[in-house]
Amino acid sequence: MNELDPIVISGFALEAPGNVTSASEFWTALRDRRDLMEPFPRDRGWGLELLDPVPVELDLERVPDAGGFLADATRFDPDFFGISVDEAAAMDPQHWAALRVAWQALENAGVDPGRLVGENVGCYIGISFTGHAPRSARIDRLVGYRAAGMALGGASGRISQCLGIVGPSLSIDTACVSSLNALQTAVGAVRSGECEWALAGAVCVMNSPMAYYSFSRLRALSEDGHCKSYSSEATGTVLGEAAGVLVVEHESRARQMGRRVYARILGIGSTHNGKSRLISAPSAQAQARLMRKTLQVAGVSADQVGLIEGHGTAKCADDRAELLALNEVYGLANGGRHRTAVGSVKSNIGHSQAAGGVMGMIKVLLCGVHGQIAPGLCTENPSYDIDWETTSLALAQGLESWPVCDDGMRYAAVSSFSVTGSNAHVLLGLPEQR
């Protein structure tokens, strides 16, 4: 984009599986190659019929008792946010997590969340339906609260209402691309002056095992409960939950306010695969086109990019298409002379669906803070889909130094694509942290 005053990320916060609720805890888990998968939650009233024995008549494959789950998914302090107990009880648990993390992202940026009333701040939250609806038909004391409590738009709207901010407030559902589309929308709004600055992110909390039914029927679940992104041993994905929110503003404003600049958003874009046999089928061609376009817009050459945080669901067709696109655009750009590390946070926390992209973004931000590339899990036997001997791409198998380029910047890319046929790609410039 070559802007004189680029849009930057000046704060962030997250909740991740494994009872991870801070950036330092998340970095430790990434650095130490921790697998944050755990058994299904037993405190949510889920029926666990999908676990052995699987009903034969449903044509489902076995579901491993494993996933990435938020420890605080069923806990919320409504008084803290000025919400009544009944109103909170009618809210989708995803709204709870989004509120908590948005508040923490502001604090991370040095903003007092209680002093924003009337400010022109935007709020853009990626979120998808995860099974909260069955309670909607009950006639009880919660009637009247469910309209806002169940709406996906309630995630962004509740944050704006509790903070008192008056900029645009949008919830965005493009499945697994939701968080990067939320960020793209926020960047456009800040750049155009529609809002002065913004919150952007996503949340995923599963309120039922619905997604497991779908992925089981599609034969898309991991057989052993491990998400082996880009591995020749991958057998499918593992579902997960997460929440992440970024603070987005012009760099001049961030500097003026004394905030830390974690990254410049140099280019961000999205496309759709278009006509295809299946809406869920990934397209290597569409992804490659978007990657090239985003590089061009960012004014960055492929051989400057030292880290690519990919989608990496560990589903064979998904990983194959993505690796072919990445190799075409980044891997073969300089004849394999420049090494570009590739990984996916899904190997640690599972596929957090709408929140997958923002969790990858936060992983990259933390790598920039520490000047190190965090390793992935299950990287010992890379996928056979590309020739790793002739490409500059390499799976990060251990913690390694991430050197800066000649201009003092580190460059990274983040990719997502979705079951609805959408693709998203982001180019970041991360200033050296002092």
Side-chain angles (χ1 to χ4, degrees):
M1 293 178 182
N2 298 317
E3 296 177 286
L4 295 177
D5 192 6
I7 309 297
V8 303
I9 297 168
S10 58
F12 66 91
L14 68 132
E15 288 185 6
N19 201 24
V20 172
T21 58
S22 71
S24 61
E25 292 171 346
F26 194 43
W27 174 250
T28 298
L30 296 173
R31 180 196 65 195
D32 296 345
R33 302 187 75 188
R34 286 178 53 199
D35 186 336
L36 300 177
M37 309 300 176
E38 56 191 8
F40 276 33
R42 264 62 176 180
D43 64 346
R44 303 191 193 178
W46 287 13
L48 299 180
E49 295 83 2
L50 275 180
L51 302 178
D52 289 330
V54 177
V56 176
E57 66 275 13
L58 297 181
D59 187 29
L60 301 174
E61 67 177 358
R62 176 184 173 274
V63 175
D65 189 4
F69 302 103
L70 294 184
D72 289 336
T74 60
R75 294 190 285 271
F76 183 63
D77 181 1
D79 287 342
F80 182 86
F81 295 102
I83 300 172
S84 72
V85 172
D86 285 353
E87 195 170 5
M91 291 166 60
D92 186 329
Q94 296 186 109
H95 301 183
W96 300 347
L99 260 174
R100 288 194 300 263
V101 176
W103 191 279
Q104 293 159 7
L106 291 167
E107 292 181 328
N108 176 263
V111 177
D112 182 350
R115 300 179 65 113
L116 294 177
V117 175
E119 291 206 17
N120 185 22
V121 181
C123 183
Y124 304 86
I125 300 296
I127 181 174
S128 295
F129 172 70
T130 60
H132 187 61
R135 297 193 291 178
S136 62
R138 297 179 187 173
I139 300 177
D140 54 23
R141 61 185 175 82
L142 304 183
V143 170
Y145 293 119
R146 289 197 178 97
M150 290 171 47
L152 296 183
S156 56
R158 185 68 69 173
I159 293 169
S160 295
Q161 185 258 336
C162 285
L163 295 173
I165 55 179
V166 299
S169 187
L170 302 177
S171 291
I172 294 172
D173 180 10
T174 47
C176 314
V177 181
S178 298
S179 58
L180 295 190
N181 282 166
L183 177 61
Q184 180 184 8
T185 308
V187 168
V190 173
R191 181 177 292 113
S192 70
E194 188 176 8
C195 54
E196 189 173 3
W197 54 285
L199 297 168
V203 62
C204 174
V205 177
M206 292 179 283
N207 203 53
S208 80
M210 176 187 67
Y212 285 90
Y213 282 92
S214 298
F215 278 73
S216 175
R217 186 67 178 269
L218 295 171
R219 306 294 190 264
L221 288 176
S222 167
E223 295 176 357
D224 60 7
H226 297 288
C227 192
K228 301 176 180 178
S229 305
Y230 312 125
S231 170
S232 61
E233 300 174 350
T235 58
T237 198
V238 182
L239 299 177
E241 302 174 331
V245 173
L246 312 171
V247 176
V248 178
E249 59 188 327
H250 281 287
E251 183 166 357
S252 61
R253 187 179 192 279
R255 301 289 186 188
Q256 181 183 359
M257 297 294 181
R259 306 204 221 288
R260 187 174 192 172
V261 173
Y262 291 98
R264 295 171 182 158
I265 302 172
L266 303 178
I268 183 167
S270 61
T271 59
H272 195 275
N273 295 334
K275 187 72 173 178
S276 61
R277 185 176 65 87
L278 292 173
I279 190 173
S280 59
S283 169
Q285 294 79 11
Q287 291 180 41
R289 284 196 301 270
L290 176 60
M291 291 171 191
R292 288 196 194 92
K293 181 179 179 181
T294 311
L295 279 166
Q296 182 180 14
V297 169
V300 175
S301 64
D303 60 3
Q304 289 180 286
V305 177
L307 172 60
I308 298 172
E309 174 63 18
H311 194 58
T313 65
K315 293 188 290 181
C316 294
D318 286 7
D319 280 12
R320 174 177 172 79
E322 185 178 16
L323 283 173
L324 289 174
L326 290 172
N327 193 41
E328 180 182 333
V329 177
Y330 291 97
L332 304 179
N334 54 17
R337 294 186 299 274
H338 167 80
R339 185 181 184 282
T340 303
V342 178
S344 172
V345 75
K346 292 179 179 65
S347 68
N348 302 92
I349 66 173
H351 185 0
S352 53
Q353 302 159 75
V358 73
M359 297 307 290
M361 289 280 295
I362 291 173
K363 173 185 171 183
V364 169
L365 298 180
L366 289 171
C367 288
V369 167
H370 295 275
Q372 296 176 304
I373 294 174
L377 278 66
C378 307
T379 56
E380 293 76 16
N381 298 299
S383 166
Y384 300 124
D385 292 321
I386 62 173
D387 183 355
W388 298 94
E389 297 297 323
T390 60
T391 181
S392 65
L393 303 181
L395 299 185
Q397 298 185 352
L399 187 67
E400 57 190 71
S401 175
W402 186 6
V404 297
C405 294
D406 292 340
D407 59 3
M409 298 283 286
R410 297 181 174 93
Y411 294 96
V414 181
S415 268
S416 285
F417 55 93
S418 83
V419 71
T420 59
S422 294
N423 310 290
H425 199 64
V426 185
L427 261 296
L428 299 175
L430 297 93
E432 187 171 13
Q433 301 291 319
R434 303 186 188 281

